[in-house]
Amino acid sequence: MTKRDYTQEFKEQILRECQEVGNVAVVARRHNISPNTIHTWRRKARRTGSTTPLPADDVKRIKELEARLAKISTENDRLKRIVAEKELQITIMEEVRDLKNPL
């Protein structure tokens, strides 16, 4: 059995597809990849937050982690805003629903 190198984009595409389908075995069969390989990618992605390996140098590793943290923090803030807007919309709709004569 030969070792194959996959691009980071391909790994991320496979992981997204597994998340959408919900079944690693089906995706592995479709792309002719071992399910164990996909499970390894998932484990690495969960552990480090990405399929891209971290640099070996400590300084570079810390900078990379800080960049990832900043990106995740920005995304988290954006999602919090979206949730707050949706909660406000739900509250307004509930108040309109509870009015006796909304028109």
Side-chain angles (χ1 to χ4, degrees), residues 6 16 20 23 29 52:
Y6 300 100
R16 276 193 306 273
E20 291 170 3
N23 191 337
R29 236 178 282 129
T52 23

Side-chain angles (χ1 to χ4, degrees), residues 25 40 100:
T40 301
K100 296 222 184 240

Side-chain angles (χ1 to χ4, degrees), residues 1 4-7 9-38 41:
M1 182 177 243
R4 297 188 340 194
D5 289 328
Y6 300 100
T7 64
E9 294 82 20
F10 180 74
K11 290 178 183 179
E12 290 170 4
Q13 173 196 351
I14 295 295
L15 292 177
R16 276 193 306 273
E17 192 173 331
C18 287
Q19 193 172 22
E20 291 170 3
V21 173
N23 191 337
V24 172
V26 171
V27 176
R29 236 178 282 129
R30 184 179 306 149
H31 294 281
N32 198 22
I33 302 173
S34 168
N36 290 335
T37 301
I38 296 176
W41 295 344

Side-chain angles (χ1 to χ4, degrees), residues 37-94:
T37 301
I38 296 176
H39 284 295
T40 301
W41 295 344
R42 289 175 74 187
R43 193 175 327 108
K44 283 183 182 179
R46 259 190 246 118
R47 192 176 321 130
T48 63
S50 174
T51 57
T52 23
L54 291 171
D57 182 25
D58 286 341
V59 175
K60 289 181 182 178
R61 178 183 290 260
I62 290 172
K63 286 183 181 182
E64 176 68 24
L65 288 173
E66 288 173 346
R68 288 183 187 182
L69 179 62
K71 180 181 174 188
I72 291 172
S73 295
T74 304
E75 178 73 9
N76 194 21
D77 291 341
R78 188 181 69 79
L79 292 173
K80 283 181 181 180
R81 272 194 309 274
I82 291 172
V83 168
E85 290 172 3
K86 294 298 178 187
E87 287 178 351
L88 180 61
Q89 288 175 351
I90 290 171
T91 303
I92 292 170
M93 292 176 78
E94 288 174 346

